[in-house]
Amino acid sequence: MTIHSMPILAGALALLALAGCEQKKAAAPPPELPVVEKTMPAAAPLVAAGTPEALKPAEYGEGIQWAASVVEMTYLQKQGDATVKLFGTAGGDPAMNGLYSYLAFYRSPGEGWRVFKLGDFLEYRILAETPGRLDLELQESVIDQASGNISSARRRVIVEWKFGPDGAAPETLSVTPAE
């Protein structure tokens, strides 16, 4: 709070106090209070208390490169006890569908994830989620083969699956165009 805003704030509080003391009259909207910006005090930087440890780049193979490419991820919340996520990795030309989009179902620590590639898009948006179903809106680049011009289009799809026995990850899923 600045010194300049204190008189305005005090005046506004006084008006509110006086308004509360009057007899019952038609309710008038309270005067708008000025916006007061608060600044948090800067935290003091940490002070080293030991010897620094030098780290080298991780050498986990190609898998870690794919993990580092994940740019968007949403855990689905309405799939019972199953762990299901929709995620996208960056790749290719970002101007031409650079979000490789996947739906993944966790199986077990030993088996990892069962992953289905939904496609390459500019972006996806979840419209609705119910057990075994996901309604998506997809924005994607399309190219006119005759002119070579690239434009953007939106489409909607229904993604459906059936869990196996005891909630096991599905073997297949279906993607249906929708309106």
Side-chain angles (χ1 to χ4, degrees):
M1 179 182 313
T2 66
I3 294 176
H4 300 299
S5 63
M6 291 178 93
I8 295 170
L9 182 58
L13 291 174
L15 284 174
L16 286 173
L18 288 175
C21 295
E22 293 181 17
Q23 296 295 325
K24 290 185 179 180
K25 292 184 180 180
E32 290 193 31
L33 296 175
V35 175
V36 178
E37 292 185 31
K38 293 184 179 182
T39 56
M40 298 297 293
L46 297 176
V47 176
T51 305
E53 175 185 352
L55 298 178
K56 294 185 179 186
E59 297 198 19
Y60 296 105
E62 194 173 311
I64 199 71
Q65 291 298 317
W66 280 100
S69 297
V70 172
V71 294
E72 188 167 339
M73 184 172 60
T74 306
Y75 278 95
L76 303 185
Q77 302 297 313
K78 299 177 181 172
Q79 303 307 313
D81 292 334
T83 301
V84 184
K85 63 182 171 182
L86 178 65
F87 70 97
T89 61
D93 180 358
M96 190 65 184
N97 299 327
L99 183 65
Y100 300 150
S101 302
Y102 304 88
L103 187 60
F105 299 82
Y106 187 71
R107 296 183 292 175
S108 71
E111 296 175 298
W113 295 85
R114 177 165 293 145
V115 181
F116 297 89
K117 184 175 183 180
L118 298 177
D120 302 340
F121 312 111
L122 290 173
E123 68 180 19
Y124 61 77
R125 184 168 66 102
I126 297 173
L127 300 174
E129 176 194 351
T130 56
R133 179 178 166 145
L134 194 58
D135 295 353
L136 297 175
E137 181 176 74
L138 308 170
Q139 182 179 354
E140 57 192 336
S141 295
V142 291
I143 189 163
D144 182 314
Q145 296 299 326
S147 68
N149 292 333
I150 297 173
S151 62
S152 180
R154 288 194 187 274
R155 66 183 173 107
R156 293 178 172 188
V157 297
I158 300 166
V159 182
E160 294 180 293
W161 60 89
K162 291 190 183 342
F163 289 104
D166 298 322
E171 295 293 325
T172 63
L173 56 83
S174 66
V175 179
T176 307
E179 294 182 1

